[in-house]
Amino acid sequence: LPSNIGSTINSFYKENPFKGAFLTCSIKGCSADMVAQFIASKREHREEEDRRMQELEDHPFHTMVKKATRGGELSSELEGRHKFNIDWSRSLVFILYGGLYQGMAQEFIYNRVLPILGTGTDMKTVARKVAVDMGFISPLICIPTAYIIKGFLIGNTFVQSLANYVDDVVNKGLVFKNWSIFVPVQCITFSIIPEHFRVSFVACISFFWMIILSSILSG
């Protein structure tokens, strides 16, 4: 049974490269954004609790309040239960970005465009592909696309979206964070991974990158 499942998956990705890429990367993008939203929500909830507790402690009648609440039961009430509300418009950004760009567009780039630089897996060919991907495609096409899609959904102009991207590159080290993950990953992608699994392999690794990117985009 496991071998049959593996064979079915292998056949699907070979025969439907663009469908497979869209399906894999849209699910991955949405899932990574959900994780990033949950982490941010927990952090904001904790900061709000700390702020409210500090206000209580700074109150001139803090001692009286504490006694009146039987040794600080009010503090426990202030902690409350964390409520996580999903920002679906933000998740839609990552469904589209994941499926359309990281899925379908990168399937075309990896297996239709970059083979122009060579079809082998020797060191020089791999180095050329990684250099083009990391030096041109990623900083000038891949990451800006996420900012443009988000800007479109929230009403920003094209120029505003690009300005936000440049600001995050300059002030948050966005491109360097991308390189620190994907330079080694892409060396593996273009040297070891079969063509029809390259996008899916990168999708698995980039799950963690999408969490980082989602967190930066929400700032």
Side-chain angles (χ1 to χ4, degrees), residues 192-204:
I192 299 175
I193 307 300
E195 286 187 4
H196 59 290
F197 281 132
R198 284 176 179 172
V199 170
S200 298
F201 169 73
V202 173
C204 293

Side-chain angles (χ1 to χ4, degrees), residues 147-148 150-152 154-164:
Y147 283 76
I148 293 169
K150 179 190 177 183
F152 174 76
I154 66 175
N156 284 352
T157 65
F158 180 79
V159 173
Q160 287 174 323
S161 298
L162 288 184
N164 290 336

Side-chain angles (χ1 to χ4, degrees), residues 65-115:
V65 171
K66 190 172 182 179
K67 288 180 179 178
T69 55
R70 295 183 298 279
E73 289 180 9
L74 180 59
S75 298
S76 298
E77 292 177 7
L78 283 176
E79 291 179 2
R81 179 175 294 180
H82 172 236
K83 295 181 179 179
F84 174 47
N85 296 314
I86 299 172
D87 183 347
W88 289 107
S89 63
R90 173 175 149 176
S91 295
L92 179 60
V93 171
F94 286 92
I95 292 173
L96 294 176
Y97 175 65
L100 296 177
Y101 180 79
Q102 290 195 319
M104 298 176 72
Q106 287 197 330
E107 169 65 30
F108 180 78
I109 291 169
Y110 287 176
N111 296 323
R112 307 296 193 280
V113 177
L114 290 181

Side-chain angles (χ1 to χ4, degrees), residues 131-145:
V132 171
D133 189 31
M134 293 291 96
F136 174 74
I137 296 173
S138 184
L140 299 182
I141 301 176
C142 176
I143 307 175
T145 300

Side-chain angles (χ1 to χ4, degrees), residues 42 48 127 135 140 171:
K42 286 283 287 184
E48 176 64 16
L140 299 182
N171 297 314

Side-chain angles (χ1 to χ4, degrees), residues 3 5 7 12 24 27 31 38 48 55 77 80 91 114 118-119 128 133 153 161 167 177 180 198 212 219:
S3 61
I5 294 174
S7 177
F12 174 77
T24 301
I27 293 174
S31 300
F38 180 77
E48 176 64 16
E55 289 178 353
E77 292 177 7
S91 295
L114 290 181
T119 57
R128 284 196 295 267
D133 189 31
L153 292 176
S161 298
D167 181 68
K177 290 175 181 177
S180 68
R198 284 176 179 172
I212 296 171

